[in-house]
Amino acid sequence: MQITRYITAGIIIFFLITMLFDWFTLGGRGVFTGFELDENSSQFMTKEAVDMSKAQIESSVPEVAILQYSPKDLLDYVKLYEDDYKTLKGIDGEVKTSWAIVIQTIYIKGFYVVLAIALLSVLFLVFDKKLRTIEWSRGLSVLTMLIMGLNYAALKIPFLSMFALKARSLLRLKNVLSSVTLNMNGINMNNEFYPYNLMEKTGFFIAIGTCVLWFVLTTVLVEMKKDKEYS
């Protein structure tokens, strides 16, 4: 039981490390149009995109990765640009709060909760030798997967993505008389299409794997604890 306990703690620590890995890349004009391009931007861009001109990026196909994000990068990006995204200007000039973007920023800030959850679970495993808190640790692994899933959905679906929503807002302002609509693949503006594409990176799948192991191993420890209590 003790060995399993320490292995589980090690898995959770490794999960924390994966939060520094790239989980997602985003590509397409529908992404780039809604991306804040300034002196801080290059840290969130792929090497290929940094070496491309703005015109080349804007004409790129969806499969070309423009932005890359780890959970840490998402937190850094929101810290820098949250206010620029939450309030969008309508065609009538009125500034309105985008509640979809507000909700997405809350999801992203949920990674702070994930960090606290993981550290707390490690402390439980290391110092609670009688495993009185092991079911808490198992429950926290499920909460972690939920936060990961919410962030994935918010980035994957243009209707929920701050990049796509801001891009749509900017295109409407630039082309007041044009029809600008969102779909699952990007933004339509008259006969012009602004694709939006999210691609999962290896770091995301490693994080999922370690989180599943976290759940499985804590479940094993729960059963071992029950067996010990009833023996």
Side-chain angles (χ1 to χ4, degrees):
M1 185 185 292
Q2 298 303 316
I3 293 175
T4 306
R5 186 160 60 91
Y6 288 118
I7 290 173
T8 306
I11 289 292
I12 297 172
I13 291 170
F14 183 67
F15 168 75
L16 284 171
I17 295 171
T18 69
M19 293 180 69
L20 301 175
F21 298 169
D22 289 332
W23 283 19
F24 312 109
T25 60
L26 290 154
R29 293 173 71 194
V31 172
F32 188 68
T33 303
F35 175 63
E36 289 292 332
L37 194 62
D38 61 20
E39 68 276 5
N40 298 308
S41 301
S42 61
Q43 65 181 299
F44 306 108
M45 299 173 72
T46 62
K47 185 180 183 302
E48 292 78 9
V50 170
D51 294 336
M52 293 167 68
S53 68
K54 183 178 179 181
Q56 287 175 317
I57 293 173
E58 288 181 336
S59 62
S60 67
V61 296
E63 288 74 19
V64 174
I66 298 172
L67 314 180
Q68 57 187 9
Y69 289 100
S70 65
K72 179 185 179 300
D73 291 330
L74 283 170
L75 288 167
D76 290 342
Y77 192 83
V78 165
K79 185 177 180 180
L80 285 170
Y81 303 116
E82 180 178 6
D83 291 339
D84 296 320
Y85 280 91
K86 287 194 304 185
T87 53
L88 301 177
K89 186 179 289 186
I91 295 174
D92 57 2
E94 184 180 354
V95 176
K96 299 178 181 179
T97 299
S98 171
W99 292 107
I101 294 176
V102 170
I103 291 170
Q104 187 187 6
T105 59
I106 291 171
Y107 290 163
I108 291 172
K109 290 175 184 178
F111 282 121
Y112 287 122
V113 177
V114 168
L115 176 62
I117 282 171
L119 290 172
L120 188 62
S121 294
V122 170
L123 291 175
F124 284 165
L125 288 161
V126 171
F127 295 106
D128 182 12
K129 295 182 179 180
K130 293 184 179 180
L131 297 178
R132 287 166 295 194
T133 55
I134 192 60
E135 293 200 35
W136 280 91
S137 183
R138 180 172 63 172
L140 292 174
S141 71
V142 175
L143 179 57
T144 296
M145 286 188 277
L146 175 62
I147 293 171
M148 290 170 63
L150 290 171
N151 275 286
Y152 175 71
L155 284 172
K156 181 76 172 177
I157 302 171
F159 296 99
L160 305 175
S161 169
M162 58 186 178
F163 299 105
L165 292 171
K166 179 160 187 177
R168 181 181 63 178
S169 174
L170 292 173
L171 290 171
R172 281 177 172 171
L173 288 174
K174 291 178 182 177
N175 304 273
V176 177
L177 300 179
S178 299
S179 173
V180 182
T181 58
L182 266 177
N183 62 39
M184 286 298 292
N185 298 312
I187 306 167
N188 285 302
M189 188 180 70
N190 294 343
N191 295 322
E192 200 168 359
F193 184 61
Y194 290 71
Y196 177 99
N197 189 41
L198 177 140
M199 294 153 280
E200 302 84 359
K201 297 284 285 182
T202 304
F204 179 60
F205 296 112
I206 293 173
I208 291 174
T210 54
C211 206
V212 170
L213 278 174
W214 174 1
F215 175 78
V216 169
L217 289 172
T218 48
T219 299
V220 169
L221 285 168
V222 167
E223 295 304 317
M224 292 171 70
K225 177 175 178 282
K226 287 180 180 178
D227 289 344
K228 186 176 180 180
E229 288 174 346
Y230 295 131
S231 61

